[in-house]
Amino acid sequence: MTQALLNTVGTTTLESALKGLRCKECGQEYPLKAMHVCEDVCFGPLEVVYDYDVLRKTVSRETIEAGPNSIWRYRAFLPVETENYIDVGTGMTPLLEANRLARRLGLKKLYIKNDAVNMPTLSFKDRVVSVALSRARELEFSTVSCASTGNLANSTAAIAAHAGLDCCVFIPSDLEAGKVLGTVIYSPTVMGVKGNYDQVNRLCSEVANTHGWGFVNINLRPYYSEGSKTLGYEVAEQLGWELPDHIVAPLASGSLFGKIRKGFEEFVKVGLVEDKKVRYSGAQAEGCSPISKAFKEGRDFITPVKPNTIAKSIAIGNPADGVYALEQARATNGNIDDVTDPEIIEGIKLLAETEGIFTETAGGTTIAVLKKLVEAGKISPDETTVVYITGNGLKTQESVQGEVSQPHLIEPKLASFEEALERARTLERLEWKQTSV
Ligand SMILES: *Cc1c(COP(=O)(O)O)cnc(C)c1O
Ligand SMILES: [Zn+2]
């Protein structure tokens, strides 16, 4: 067959790579409907399956590079059936060489995958929502919804607005002001539930059953979660079609963690990158660390907790994919650790000062755990390490408000400025002396 003919065959057979849903536990297969648990057999979670032979024939580095500058360059690996997907510019966020942070920590090759600047709502959740709402539209839902710790509500409301879908989101009533404003501005219906995320989630499961809405992270969860694979694909592509040695990512439900791996492994399967034994390490806040506790205690089950931490976006006390995250860290010689709220704040400031990135509490958690793992010798300086920054600091300003310096208040006069500058320099010299001993 000529190359031209192969290409035509390629584009017309793309759809058939999408096979169906399959239970992660017992393997029972299901059609590509709005469902997320193995209703016929074991109530295990469902996952999207693809025909990798089809993908191997139709996808190459070149076809991907020729695609849009968004997650949709990986469309062949995503669970949509039509070309009518919602592209709001999500994905292809920077992969930065973090040399100053690396030097501070004692690493040689450290990269930051910076989803603090993801589009349209400045968190990694735009990836999963772009995919989930594209699929929701194909499944003909007119109302979309979610149970959120904050960022998911922002993404769902924004992308639903863009796509013209009715939207009703559920959040815990005690979220940060920036997360609430970043939802209501798009004029969805917002329910502030007097309870924690796990209670919100339980309520939403009932609503999903009674109202027939498309909940991105409940009945659409198999499609939604596939969006996180793009955090694997992009890193591989941005590293020059290579896998890293070690990744560090935050854990809430544990979904994103597993999907980074699925992304890497799919690229290996279809021959886009060479295989490598990637190590996967996960980060939690001490005030909500059910996965980390189980990891450190050598347990293979998760004991749910009641969250109490400033890292609200990753505060899930009963994580749906917790057991899979545990297995993944253990099987790959990775680690899972947790850090205190003061360490999270230090993590936010460290990333800001060394790399010019203002992340939210989830990112502070990830940086603080990275630091802890390096200090404990659990990440070697020689490993090419990628740390995932998943959210933006402007949304959780109250967490650092009292922890930063204030502007020098001066008169609009040169003398006043000179005086203040002298005072500032003296203060800096003092601080520098203190931190360098
Ligand atoms: C939701 C979220 C996560 C983690 O997501 P899971 O896939 O549930 O583990 C990480 N970081 C931020 C900022 C989030 O909003
Ligand atoms: Zn099953």
Side-chain angles (χ1 to χ4, degrees):
M1 216 185 287
T2 68
Q3 192 58 42
L5 201 49
L6 259 175
N7 284 343
T8 344
V9 172
T11 47
T12 52
T13 52
L14 268 182
E15 279 97 274
S16 66
L18 186 57
K19 281 293 167 205
L21 299 178
R22 188 165 60 205
C23 174
K24 249 180 125 160
E25 290 297 322
C26 76
Q28 176 74 17
E29 295 190 356
Y30 293 90
L32 290 156
K33 293 195 303 189
M35 59 189 300
H36 70 300
V37 289
C38 179
E39 287 165 9
D40 294 350
V41 187
C42 76
F43 290 95
L46 302 183
E47 194 173 32
V48 180
V49 286
Y50 303 85
D51 183 336
Y52 293 107
D53 290 330
V54 171
L55 288 171
R56 205 170 300 124
K57 275 182 249 153
T58 54
V59 180
S60 66
R61 293 178 182 178
E62 291 72 25
T63 61
I64 291 171
E65 285 165 353
N69 191 39
S70 72
I71 57 168
W72 295 107
R73 67 207 279 108
Y74 311 108
R75 181 234 170 278
F77 294 86
L78 295 172
V80 292
E81 288 179 286
T82 67
E83 296 303 315
N84 189 27
Y85 49 75
I86 305 166
D87 190 350
V88 283
T90 300
M92 289 310 275
T93 55
L95 182 74
L96 294 171
E97 250 185 273
N99 292 331
R100 298 190 70 243
L101 178 60
R103 222 173 303 131
R104 188 77 85 84
L105 298 177
L107 292 174
K108 288 187 197 143
K109 207 83 181 144
L110 176 66
Y111 292 88
I112 291 170
K113 180 58 173 167
N114 186 14
D115 264 17
V117 294
N118 201 11
M119 285 289 124
T121 69
L122 310 177
S123 91
F124 108 88
K125 290 294 198 304
D126 294 327
R127 299 174 182 275
V128 281
V129 173
S130 287
V131 174
L133 296 194
S134 296
R135 186 62 188 146
R137 210 157 61 172
E138 289 180 350
L139 292 170
E140 297 182 340
F141 283 102
S142 54
T143 302
V144 292
S145 188
C146 68
S148 173
T149 56
N151 284 316
L152 185 57
N154 294 172
S155 287
T156 304
I159 301 175
H162 178 85
L165 293 160
D166 285 336
C167 179
C168 175
V169 298
F170 296 74
I171 52 176
S173 60
D174 70 343
L175 285 188
E176 302 94 340
K179 294 271 169 77
V180 178
L181 182 61
T183 298
V184 294
I185 192 67
Y186 306 107
S187 291
T189 305
V190 185
M191 298 292 162
V193 181
K194 295 182 206 162
N196 61 37
Y197 172 79
D198 299 281
Q199 294 170 303
V200 174
N201 196 41
R202 225 168 301 135
L203 169 64
C204 287
S205 295
E206 291 180 53
V207 179
N209 286 332
T210 52
H211 282 256
W213 293 349
F215 275 79
V216 299
N217 57 339
I218 301 179
N219 51 352
L220 295 170
R221 190 172 178 84
Y223 309 103
Y224 155 96
S225 59
E226 288 289 284
S228 292
K229 295 190 303 185
T230 58
L231 274 175
Y233 304 146
E234 285 178 24
V235 162
E237 183 179 348
Q238 289 170 322
L239 285 174
W241 300 101
E242 258 188 50
L243 300 185
D245 296 312
H246 204 145
I247 69 101
V248 183
L251 304 173
S253 71
S255 170
L256 142 77
F257 193 63
K259 295 294 178 169
I260 292 170
R261 184 190 196 186
K262 189 177 180 190
F264 287 162
E265 292 185 351
E266 286 180 335
F267 266 19
V268 173
K269 261 186 219 160
V270 304
L272 289 167
V273 297
E274 260 180 53
D275 201 2
K276 193 186 246 187
K277 284 195 167 49
V278 181
R279 300 173 67 197
Y280 297 85
S281 290
Q284 293 209 292
E286 189 182 54
C288 185
S289 49
I291 311 177
S292 170
K293 292 268 144 42
F295 183 86
K296 292 195 270 192
E297 290 168 15
R299 280 187 274 123
D300 58 6
F301 60 93
I302 305 284
T303 308
V305 301
K306 216 171 147 216
N308 179 20
T309 170
I310 57 169
K312 293 177 195 278
S313 59
I314 51 170
I316 297 185
N318 189 13
D321 293 298
V323 167
Y324 299 119
L326 267 181
E327 282 172 9
Q328 181 176 335
R330 288 191 178 126
T332 63
N333 195 24
N335 285 280
I336 299 176
D337 215 329
D338 54 86
V339 287
T340 63
D341 285 358
E343 289 175 306
I344 292 169
I345 292 165
E346 283 311 306
I348 293 174
K349 291 166 74 174
L350 178 62
L351 183 64
E353 288 164 12
T354 54
E355 296 298 337
I357 295 171
F358 184 17
T359 185
E360 65 149 85
T361 44
T365 305
T366 311
I367 293 295
V369 166
L370 168 73
K371 181 166 181 274
K372 199 168 168 181
L373 294 178
V374 174
E375 284 167 358
K378 290 173 177 169
I379 294 177
S380 141
D382 295 320
E383 289 179 287
T384 296
T385 301
V386 175
V387 58
Y388 284 88
I389 295 302
T390 48
N392 192 297
L394 291 171
K395 294 195 204 180
T396 61
Q397 296 182 37
E398 45 276 80
S399 66
V400 287
Q401 200 63 261
E403 312 285 336
V404 290
S405 60
Q406 294 302 310
H408 302 276
L409 204 58
I410 63 170
E411 300 300 327
K413 297 206 171 73
L414 189 60
S416 179
F417 157 70
E418 295 290 3
E419 207 183 279
L421 185 64
E422 187 49 40
R423 260 184 285 129
R425 290 271 159 83
T426 312
L427 208 67
E428 269 168 33
R429 276 193 294 272
L430 277 174
E431 277 173 9
W432 187 81
K433 254 187 208 150
Q434 274 165 7
T435 53
S436 61
V437 287

